[in-house]
Amino acid sequence: MYSLNDSMAKRSTLFIRIVEGKNLPIKDISGSSDPYCIVKIDNEAIIRQDDVIGKVSITKEVLTAKPQGVDGWMNLTEIDPDEEVQGEIHLQISVQGDGDIPRKLCCQVLEARDLAKKDRNGASDPFVRVRYNGKTYESTVVKKSCYPRWNESFEFELDETLADTGLLSVEVWDWDLVSRNDFLGKVLFNINKLQSAKQEEGWFHLGPDKSKHSEYEGTLGSLRLQLRLRDEVVLPSSHYKPVTELLSQSVCSQLKGNWPDFIMLIDETTTAENRQEVANNLVKLFLGQGLVKEFLDVIFKLELGKTNEPNTLFRNNSLASKSMESFLKVAGMQYLHRLLGPIINRIFEEKKYVELDPSKVELKEAGCAGLHRQQTESDIIQQSSILLQSYLSELLTSVLQSASYCPLLICQVFHQLYLRVQERFPEPEYRKVKFIAVTSFLCLRFISPAIMSPKLFHLREKHADARTSRTLLLLAKAVQTIGNMDTLTCCSKEPWMVCLQPAIQQGITQLKDFITKLVNCHESEDLELQTRMSLQCGTMEKEGFLFLHRTKDKCMPMTSPFKKYYVTLRKDTLSYSRTPHSKKSSFISLPKIQAVEKVEEKCFGSANVMQVISSEDSGQQETLYLNCKSVNELNHWLSALRKACSHNTNTMSCYHPGIYKTDRWSCCHQKEKSDPGCDKTRHGLTLQEWFDPLDPDLEAQLIYQHLRSVQHAMRDKYYELREQQGVQEADSGRDQKKVDGLSKLFSILQDLHDAHAAVEEEERSKNKKVFLE
């Protein structure tokens, strides 16, 4: 998920899921390929050293036209260098002359930014070619720059006979001494429209040469993609206060036994396809209000009221199940990393072959050179069983120890879940149900998925290979069996798991002891508030070893300036030291950070360098360069820092993607070190993750959108439930209050709708005014 925020009011989120591929061409000697995907945003060119199979391009307009999203197979097309363009060009175009004087068409080429890198040195040698009515001019060549400045003007005699069909073409090319020049993009202008406006100036996106058609379309294979673009205009906080207060009151009134209320109606009217997103938004909204524990208690109570068979409790994808799952991901990610990090790292590093299923065992040779013997199936299964029991034992030990550091709020939520289930399914008949209710979330929906897919939970940077994936899957199966607290069912379905039965039985006993400790945490309200605040403010913490270089006025050294430091991002500071526990460290105050941006590859010979630009008390700017191990690590650090600085007020609107060396900027060749910058900053481009800081206004906006879409269903469901409960005439006064409550909710939703309409009207008026000018 990518957040693409152009302003504080507009929040755009792009959801991308790459599902699978088929019919891909062979690229390796082995007769297959090792495919991976790169996601590019905002017209960024695809330039890779690996063999490129093909691409799928989707415009924002296509996604906007389908708010429900796009899900389907899309053909890969050939990557034509003339189509792989990016960047913008700054032009001023005008029509001069009146009356008897022949009119002239003037094109002033000012500068360009973020051009595609076509040369091996990580840059380009761009020049501009301007064409009109058969006449062509070319600008000078700017060497080794993707941010060139020309400030050159070209004039053409305006041909009045071509007023309706004449086009001005502005093309950008990369100059090459030996091979042919590389196309960098073009912009076309309709002369007829230009004559009406007299002058046009601005930054224009460079587009591809669309005159070509790929002959390979449909023969390069295809990808199945799921895409959805969500655009939201977020109003000031005051607009959402009524709906937030109403939902908060609803949670409190539910606990007092009032019926029915808004949470129940939301539960009853939310469809399966929207349930996950609604659960996420509600959890984050109530976390911000300090009422997430009360909200979860309400939906636990609602779910238990609808469940008669304990074996099915919380096993379906209800709003209660999805909300608890979301809560654990938001509030428990640091806990999960501390719990699973060591065992996951051990499995990845050992890369042992583990298999218990006889039908999948691969026989192999073992022993010293000259004394080879082939391992039998029973040998491999026995070794695998020992290894898995070792992994399981280490994991269960970690789980038992984690009761001391599990977040207090999570302990309290599990405590109230435990009590609610015990009340609904009392002992001795239902002795295990209260434990299974906790493990259904902790083991089946949190720990096991993280074991099977550690990359999705940020436990590892890359997905596991086939051998490691199988080990993780077998370990996750064992954890699920322990979570179900039923070894017989597992062994009947998969009899080859029987060798783990003693370890699993011991694990069930250990897990019961852990849950008993977990749910008996009783702390003061002050500690609860402290934990709640740490959830809201401390979620941006990030740390790890990076290569770092800091510069003030000194020029960049010729040799590599980077040194290894342990970098830590906390609530208010970005600090770095030689070791994780070093007493001596340096830091940058987050409010002083003005920009967090990438650095051009040619500057340090690495595509994974970022820069943090900050201001000192004296007003002097300082730049910290961070070199990451991979593009994924780079993107996560960029995203985390941008989110942590999202409320900074002294941010820069433009920056230099190059470095200042030998008396000039490497990107645009400007000699003034204080030059404001040649490319726009991208403060709003971030990755969306579970542990993001809470954004109460956005969550309230998303809840508003959902409530508005189901308000008629809510009204119908209310009267249906009212009829089922057999509301008596004697209760008509109380019932009227509930109807008034619904009317109040619908009135609040209408007020928000009107506020959005006013914002849209104001935006249209602004655009109309700009057009007229």
Side-chain angles (χ1 to χ4, degrees), residues 387-406:
L387 268 173
L388 268 179
Q389 289 183 59
S390 170
Y391 294 147
L392 190 59
S393 174
E394 181 179 333
L395 176 58
L396 288 171
T397 301
S398 297
V399 170
L400 283 171
Q401 294 172 349
S402 73
S404 61
Y405 60 80
C406 183

Side-chain angles (χ1 to χ4, degrees), residues 189 507 656:
F189 295 91
H656 286 287

Side-chain angles (χ1 to χ4, degrees), residues 168 234 253 266 281 355 480 537 612 620 766 770:
L168 173 70
V234 180
S253 66
I266 292 172
N281 299 332
E355 185 54 74
Q480 288 174 345
C537 304
V612 179
Q620 180 183 355
K766 284 182 181 178
V770 170

Side-chain angles (χ1 to χ4, degrees), residues 544-592:
F545 279 105
L546 295 174
F547 287 90
L548 180 150
H549 173 67
R550 191 168 189 169
T551 176
K552 292 185 181 179
D553 285 332
K554 53 190 178 184
C555 292
M556 196 65 60
M558 296 298 291
T559 57
S560 175
F562 290 100
K563 295 181 180 179
K564 192 174 182 180
Y565 283 86
Y566 194 80
V567 183
T568 306
L569 174 61
R570 292 287 184 259
K571 177 187 173 184
D572 296 315
T573 60
L574 176 70
S575 61
Y576 52 94
S577 57
R578 286 294 191 177
T579 63
H581 306 293
S582 176
K583 294 181 180 180
K584 185 179 179 181
S585 65
S586 302
F587 69 91
I588 301 173
S589 176
L590 292 187
K592 293 184 179 180

